[in-house]
Amino acid sequence: ETGVTQTPRHLVMGMTNKKSLKCEQHLGHNAMYWYKQSAKKPLELMFVYSLEERVENNSVPSRFSPECPNSSHLFLHLHTLQPEDSALYLCASSLKTGPYGTDTQYFGPGTRLTVL
Amino acid sequence: GDSVTQMEGPVTLSEEAFLTINCTYTATGYPSLFWYVQYPGEGLQLLLKATKADDKGSNKGFEATYRKETTSFHLEKGSVQVSDSAVYFCALQGGAQKLVFGQGTRLTINP
């Protein structure tokens, strides 16, 4: 499955580093999402972009900064993270068909982030 | 608000056993329902979905029927294989088109 790709697959960073996660979708979708998956917690929706406009920000700390330059690419810029931010970060995309349609999300393989 | 409850894992079965993973939901309106699977070290893959009551989603031998009267979407497979070992997530998409996930059920199949 290469519809949604994420790089890097693994990242180790110190608390003072700045890094970026990249997501790319090849499905012709118009919405993209960032999720955080921590051990023993449900998936947490972080950000939603629809037609390159941020439409949702679920009280995510400012040390996470998303960027969506076009409908195919999504970034998550990271700076001064904390050890509790270590998790699997998943990107997803979907084709929004209107307010009443089913909006199936397709996920990338994730970036496993470890903050030391 | 909308919510999804899955049976607690982990679930351990022998190869060729029958599988059921229970999923119930709470939602206003008429949500769409999904099962996603996460294999070790990978992201989530869509397994199947159903968009209205009495619909049956199916894929790779797995099935789930959208039961509005019991607000359930239980996942079943008649004969599991070792390669089915993974974490399974039930999810709903409600009126706001947000995906709401259950906590996941870890399934291990022994040869």
Side-chain angles (χ1 to χ4, degrees), chain B residues 2 11 31 76 86:
Chain B
D2 295 349
V11 174
E76 296 181 337

Side-chain angles (χ1 to χ4, degrees), chain B residues 32-47:
Chain B
S32 296
L33 301 173
F34 303 82
W35 277 100
Y36 283 87
V37 58
Q38 186 174 32
Y39 298 103
E42 298 185 15
L44 273 68
Q45 297 179 25
L46 177 67
L47 183 58

Side-chain angles (χ1 to χ4, degrees), chain B residues 6 8 15-16 31 39 50 61 67 72 75-76 82 96 102 108 110:
Chain B
Q6 290 180 235
E8 290 218 16
E15 208 165 19
E16 299 183 5
Y39 298 103
R67 300 284 188 204
S72 65
L75 182 68
E76 296 181 337
V82 172
T108 302
N110 293 323

Side-chain angles (χ1 to χ4, degrees), chain B residues 15-89:
Chain B
E15 208 165 19
E16 299 183 5
F18 184 86
L19 168 71
T20 300
I21 300 179
N22 290 339
C23 172
T24 57
Y25 67 90
T26 302
T28 54
Y30 304 96
S32 296
L33 301 173
F34 303 82
W35 277 100
Y36 283 87
V37 58
Q38 186 174 32
Y39 298 103
E42 298 185 15
L44 273 68
Q45 297 179 25
L46 177 67
L47 183 58
L48 53 85
K49 68 180 181 182
T51 58
K52 61 182 187 297
D54 301 324
D55 268 2
K56 178 186 283 187
S58 61
N59 185 25
K60 300 182 181 179
F62 291 90
E63 294 183 340
T65 301
Y66 188 159
R67 300 284 188 204
K68 186 164 174 58
E69 63 276 12
T70 54
T71 60
S72 65
F73 194 53
H74 305 320
L75 182 68
E76 296 181 337
K77 186 174 184 181
S79 176
V80 292
Q81 306 300 314
V82 172
S83 56
D84 294 326
S85 298
V87 181
Y88 291 80
F89 293 91

